[in-house]
């Protein structure tokens, strides 16, 4: 029973970010949906403060997200952020209006505060904060007074000293707000709560809870080799003893080179029990003749469920055997801003069959209260190898979503003299490549062409910024790539997209390139300088040399919600390109220089 902060999620994309920042201050923060908790819920004495998150709606719109305003009178400190700030003021009689064009702020703004409000303790009087709003509070709620403003926003920070209510238009949770973390710390001080949420405490308390919950039962768990399921597996094996926990690893034929051996060895090394199920033929068979990205994802997900079902058909789960899953906290919550990723993630652990087992009490999820950084900390605490705990994330459908497919063969012969093949002639500094990949622009997934940059620039930050400008301007592309090298000679005279599905030959081709990237990262000591590094295979060749192209997608991110290009040294890219091009079937190697948004991390 920890003292805690409740975050009411009004649908903003940063609710998880607020919670994880607060947890870094050793305070338990829980996210709840405003329409699922009532006044009685907030009377829990362990709830010491409330944060109202941002949200995409306007508070004056009918049906916009809201909560019971009576909770503002409980005497518990409240911090409203962006939409939460506007809601708080409106709920107490203030007014919110659409900002005039000059009142809309996106990005950095200088905030001046009056040095009176405790929320700004130890923060310079003028400091930069991150803004992202179209509406503004034009009239303050009852009992509020202004305590901070920017050039464009008069009521950027307000407080009601009697009721301990605070409203801020800016986002303290994003790393670009230099003193944002201090704001959150100050709010926690105002809430006067114990900072007792540590991973050591969690481990200590959780062991006893899990033991009580599981008793003498046996547990089966599907491990993927990823951090979450491995830590869940190790935790359960530690607590219950290895003989009570059966790990199952499905080889779906879409794994990285050497992955199966790696997982077997590392699981054995931590003293746990693992059985490998060889299902490669089943997965690859189901993918034959399938070309659409979402169809592939669905087939892989369904095949995984079939494998699980086949297992449960012969090993029935009952009151003596439970299914364990490595579900982590963000997977358990549906928030507006993360609905897409939740759909992806819940594929495996919230499908109807599993949901039925959850409802019947046959499933345990020992990490369901933790964020990824906490899962890693727990892994380290239990003594798991550092390398295992800090592995890059890898998608459930594996290389299946990194092998682009094409339903038919098409050839494109650029006629520069007639039509300029979209080169400098028509002033575009890129050529449109004749295949498509997924992107994210606004709240929508897009499916558009990549643009192959034809500029000489080789500064990665410049390329990334050019890519953003071009994608904002030209509607036919959603990402940009830069050529790193090719096996054809001269300039591009002909491009060809070859009909292809996912098959063992292509899996092996991608595995080889992916392996070169991973081993080179380790050799050059840069593995931990990027957050993730997808390597993608596309059925695209140039000048009839080779069959396919490889795209490198180094990623810098904290939570996969937004990302920039991993800025590894050119020496690295040169080295891997030379190695990859030793395979004659590879026509060209590209580097993806697109941030997220507008590009997604994966190409499918
Ligand atoms: P995107 O491509 O949406 O990826 O920017 C965000 C993060 O999610 C991972 N990802 C997946 N993970 N099943 C998964 O388990 C999937 O279908 C899937 N698609 C993307 C991706 O690797 C990145 O870390």
């Amino acid at each position: 029973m920890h003292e805690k902060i409740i975050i009411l999620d009004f649908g903003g994309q940063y609710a998880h970010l607020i919670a994880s920042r607060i947890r870094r201050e050793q305070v338990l923060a829980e996210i709840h949906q405003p329409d699922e908790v009532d006044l009685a819920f907030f009377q829990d004495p362990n709830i010491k403060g409330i944060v109202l998150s941002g949200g995409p709606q306007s508070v004056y719109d009918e049906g916009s997200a809201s909560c019971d305003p009576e909770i503002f009178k409980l005497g518990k400190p409240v911090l409203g952020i962006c939409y939460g700030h506007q809601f708080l003021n409106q709920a107490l009689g203030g007014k919110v209006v659409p900002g005039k064009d000059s009142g809309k702020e996106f990005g950095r703004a200088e905030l001046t505060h009056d040095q009176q409000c405790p929320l700004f303790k130890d923060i310079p009087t003028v400091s930069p904060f991150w803004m992202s709003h179209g509406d503004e509070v034009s009239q303050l709620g009852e009992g509020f007074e202004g305590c901070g403003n920017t050039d464009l926003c008069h009521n950027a920070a307000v407080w009601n000293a009697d009721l301990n209510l605070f409203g801020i238009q800016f986002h303290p949770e994003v790393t670009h707000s230099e003193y944002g973390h201090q704001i959150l710390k100050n709010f926690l001080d105002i809430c006067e709560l114990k900072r007792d949420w540590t991973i050591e405490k969690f481990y200590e308390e959780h062991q006893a809870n899990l033991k009580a919950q599981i008793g003498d039962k046996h547990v089966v768990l599907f491990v993927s080799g990823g951090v979450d399921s491995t830590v869940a597996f190790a935790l359960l094996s530690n607590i219950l003893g290895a003989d009570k926990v059966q790990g199952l690893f499905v080889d779906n034929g879409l794994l990285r080179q050497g992955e199966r051996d790696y997982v077997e060895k590392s699981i054995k090394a931590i003293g746990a029990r693992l059985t490998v199920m060889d299902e490669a033929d089943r997965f690859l068979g189901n993918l034959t003749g399938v070309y659409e990205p979402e169809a592939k994802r669905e087939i892989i997900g369904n095949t995984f469920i079939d494998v699980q079902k086949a297992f449960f058909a012969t090993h029935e789960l009952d009151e003596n055997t439970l299914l364990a899953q490595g579900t982590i906290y963000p997977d358990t919550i549906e928030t507006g801003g993360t609905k897409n990723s939740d759909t992806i993630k819940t594929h495996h652990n919230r499908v109807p069959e599993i949901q039925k087992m959850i409802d019947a009490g046959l499933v345990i999820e020992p990490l369901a209260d933790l964020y990824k950084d906490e899962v890693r900390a727990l892994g380290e605490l239990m003594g798991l190898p550092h390398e295992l705990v800090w592995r890059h994330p890898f998608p459930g459908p594996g290389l299946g979503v990194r092998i682009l497919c094409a339903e038919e063969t098409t050839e494109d012969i650029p006629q520069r003299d007639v039509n300029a093949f979209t080169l400098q002639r028509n002033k575009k500094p890129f050529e449109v490549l004749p295949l498509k990949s997924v992107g994210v622009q606004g709240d929508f997934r897009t499916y558009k062409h990549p643009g192959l940059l034809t500029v000489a620039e080789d500064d990665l930050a410049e390329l990334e910024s050019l890519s953003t400008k071009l994608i904002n301007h030209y509607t036919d592309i959603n990402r940009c790539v830069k050529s790193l090298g090719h096996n054809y000679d001269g300039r591009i005279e002909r491009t060809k997209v070859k009909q292809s599905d996912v098959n063992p030959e292509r899996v092996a081709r991608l595995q080889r390139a992916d392996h070169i990237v991973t081993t080179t990262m380790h050799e050059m000591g840069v593995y931990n300088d990027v957050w993730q590094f997808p390597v993608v295979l596309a059925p695209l060749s140039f000048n009839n040399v080779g069959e396919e192209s490889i795209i490198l997608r180094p990623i810098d991110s904290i939570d996969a919600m937004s990302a920039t290009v991993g800025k590894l040294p050119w020496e690295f890219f040169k080295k891997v390109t030379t190695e990859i091009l030793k395979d004659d079937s590879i026509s060209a190697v590209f580097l993806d220089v697109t941030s997220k948004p507008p590009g997604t991390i994966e190409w499918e």
Side-chain angles (χ1 to χ4, degrees):
M1 294 301 279
H2 294 267
E3 293 187 344
K4 61 190 169 188
I5 297 287
I6 298 300
I7 296 162
L8 286 184
D9 174 14
F10 284 116
Q13 55 181 322
Y14 296 134
H16 280 300
L17 218 47
I18 304 170
S20 67
R21 296 258 181 279
I22 291 178
R23 285 177 176 212
R24 254 173 244 171
E25 281 302 304
Q26 306 195 337
V27 170
L28 177 59
E30 279 177 12
I31 299 179
H32 288 269
Q33 303 306 302
D35 52 353
E36 287 172 2
V37 283
D38 56 11
L39 190 61
F41 169 85
F42 286 96
Q43 271 149 356
D44 175 351
N46 277 323
I47 298 177
K48 295 290 179 188
I50 302 163
V51 176
L52 313 175
S53 85
Q57 297 160 312
S58 288
V59 292
Y60 45 78
D61 283 349
E62 207 168 307
S64 55
S66 65
C67 65
D68 185 348
E70 288 301 309
I71 65 173
F72 304 144
K73 298 179 186 155
L74 289 172
K76 305 196 181 195
V78 176
L79 173 64
I81 297 173
C82 197
Y83 179 98
H85 155 66
Q86 296 162 3
F87 180 81
L88 183 60
N89 277 277
Q90 180 180 273
L92 293 174
K95 198 160 178 214
V96 177
V97 293
K100 296 176 218 63
D101 273 348
S102 60
K104 298 183 197 292
E105 281 177 297
F106 299 97
R108 184 189 160 107
E110 298 294 327
L111 180 105
T112 307
H113 68 84
D114 66 7
Q115 299 182 325
Q116 304 299 314
C117 176
L119 206 54
F120 290 100
K121 190 171 146 267
D122 297 335
I123 295 179
T125 311
V126 181
S127 32
F129 283 98
W130 210 247
M131 286 281 196
S132 185
H133 66 112
D135 291 343
E136 58 184 330
V137 174
S138 60
Q139 191 186 313
L140 299 186
E142 208 183 311
F144 278 93
E145 56 180 304
C147 56
N149 62 282
T150 67
D151 275 354
L152 295 178
C153 183
H154 190 59
N155 293 316
V158 303
W159 66 315
N160 176 327
D162 292 338
L163 292 177
N164 250 346
L165 309 177
F166 304 86
I168 50 181
Q169 184 56 69
F170 54 87
H171 290 274
E173 67 276 24
V174 301
T175 44
H176 291 90
S177 288
E178 200 181 323
Y179 294 93
H181 194 71
Q182 186 65 38
I183 295 262
L184 294 175
K185 265 167 86 167
N186 290 340
F187 179 66
L188 298 178
D189 286 343
I190 293 165
C191 295
E192 293 182 345
L193 38 59
K194 284 188 215 125
R195 282 164 158 79
D196 62 355
W197 175 257
T198 61
I199 204 66
E200 289 80 6
K201 264 245 167 84
F202 171 84
Y203 185 40
E204 201 183 295
E205 295 166 1
H206 209 45
Q207 287 190 49
N209 291 345
L210 282 172
K211 255 192 201 150
Q213 195 185 343
I214 301 168
D216 283 340
K217 294 169 195 160
H218 284 250
V219 173
V220 289
L221 179 138
F222 284 87
V223 282
S224 68
V227 180
D228 305 340
S229 58
T230 309
V231 171
F233 190 32
L235 176 67
L236 291 170
S237 299
N238 275 0
I239 295 176
L240 307 176
D243 57 320
K244 290 251 176 73
V245 189
Q246 170 69 60
L248 299 165
F249 176 72
V250 178
D251 182 346
N252 59 8
L254 300 164
L255 303 175
R256 293 187 139 145
Q257 187 173 309
E259 178 71 5
R260 182 173 162 160
D261 284 350
Y262 178 85
V263 174
E264 273 193 290
K265 271 196 202 119
S266 45
I267 294 292
K268 280 193 184 130
I270 59 177
R273 222 162 35 111
L274 186 76
T275 304
V276 176
M277 302 167 78
D278 192 346
E279 299 286 350
D281 290 347
R282 191 197 298 232
F283 279 85
L284 292 175
N286 287 351
L287 286 170
T288 306
V290 181
Y291 309 97
E292 285 300 315
E294 279 314 300
K296 281 161 58 187
R297 199 175 246 113
E298 200 179 324
I299 287 172
I300 297 169
N302 288 342
T303 310
F304 193 76
I305 299 304
D306 287 347
V307 169
Q308 285 198 343
K309 272 197 204 157
F311 176 83
F312 295 135
T314 45
H315 304 75
E316 213 163 302
L317 291 186
D318 53 28
E319 58 278 11
N320 295 318
T321 316
L322 302 175
L323 172 71
Q325 301 201 110
T327 315
I328 67 170
Y329 191 47
D331 305 339
T332 65
I333 295 173
E334 269 229 346
T335 60
T338 50
K339 256 186 182 134
N340 274 339
S341 44
D342 277 349
T343 314
I344 290 166
K345 278 292 229 173
T346 49
H347 217 69
H348 300 312
N349 59 16
R350 287 289 185 278
V351 290
E353 283 81 4
I354 303 284
Q355 191 60 51
K356 266 189 237 152
M357 293 185 207
I358 294 176
D359 297 341
L362 296 174
V363 178
I364 48 162
E365 298 181 315
L367 307 179
D369 289 331
L370 300 184
Y371 279 103
K372 189 86 160 187
D373 57 337
E374 294 169 325
V375 173
R376 288 195 157 126
L378 179 61
E380 298 261 26
L381 183 70
M382 290 189 301
L384 298 190
H386 185 79
E387 188 196 295
L388 191 65
V389 169
W390 288 94
R391 296 192 91 191
H392 290 174
F394 187 65
L399 299 181
V401 290
R402 294 181 180 171
I403 297 177
L404 270 55
C405 299
E407 190 155 12
E408 54 191 37
T409 299
T410 49
E411 289 208 46
D412 185 359
I413 305 167
Q415 296 182 329
R416 278 199 186 79
D417 301 331
V418 187
N419 203 8
F421 188 49
T422 63
L423 269 173
Q424 274 81 346
R425 265 271 199 104
N426 55 9
K427 303 263 191 303
K428 286 185 185 175
F430 60 88
E431 299 175 21
V432 176
L433 291 175
L435 47 80
K436 288 183 179 175
S437 79
V438 176
V440 56
Q441 285 167 283
D443 282 331
F444 304 99
R445 289 219 149 202
T446 59
Y447 195 51
K448 294 183 185 175
H449 297 277
L452 166 57
L453 295 175
T454 49
V455 295
E457 178 66 61
D458 63 3
D459 180 277
L460 278 178
E462 289 295 329
L463 285 167
E464 185 171 343
S465 125
L466 173 66
S467 141
T468 309
K469 282 186 201 133
L470 293 174
I471 295 163
N472 283 340
H473 187 74
Y474 295 99
T475 51
D476 47 348
I477 54 169
N478 62 2
R479 58 174 87 231
C480 289
V481 299
K482 165 100 178 146
S483 174
L484 287 173
H486 37 79
N487 273 331
Y488 60 85
D489 291 326
R491 61 183 191 173
I492 297 172
E493 301 293 346
R494 181 186 284 263
T495 59
K496 180 174 173 184
V497 176
K498 192 180 152 199
Q499 190 217 21
S500 3
D501 56 7
V502 177
N503 57 52
E505 188 188 1
R506 299 189 75 210
V507 171
R509 196 173 277 154
L510 178 56
Q511 278 177 331
R512 179 185 173 273
D514 179 72
H515 189 65
I516 291 170
V517 170
T518 307
T519 46
T520 312
M521 276 193 286
H522 283 301
E523 274 163 30
M524 291 182 65
V526 295
Y527 184 84
N528 290 324
D529 294 350
V530 286
W531 189 79
Q532 194 177 12
F533 198 146
V535 178
V536 177
L537 182 72
L540 181 66
S541 66
F542 302 89
N543 299 354
N544 282 334
V545 175
E547 312 249 324
E548 311 226 42
S549 294
I550 288 286
I551 301 117
L552 308 183
R553 177 75 170 131
I555 289 295
D556 209 353
S557 181
I558 293 171
D559 45 23
M561 292 284 292
S562 60
T564 52
V565 178
K567 315 279 186 314
L568 295 178
W570 276 108
E571 194 195 339
F572 168 85
F573 294 119
K574 281 191 194 136
K575 199 168 169 188
V576 296
T577 302
T578 309
E579 273 312 302
I580 291 172
L581 287 174
K582 284 182 185 162
D583 176 352
D584 292 340
S585 71
I586 302 299
S587 190
V589 179
F590 300 106
L591 174 64
D592 186 339
V593 293
T594 323
S595 58
K596 173 183 177 177
T600 42
I601 292 177
E602 304 288 347
W603 271 47
E604 284 197 343

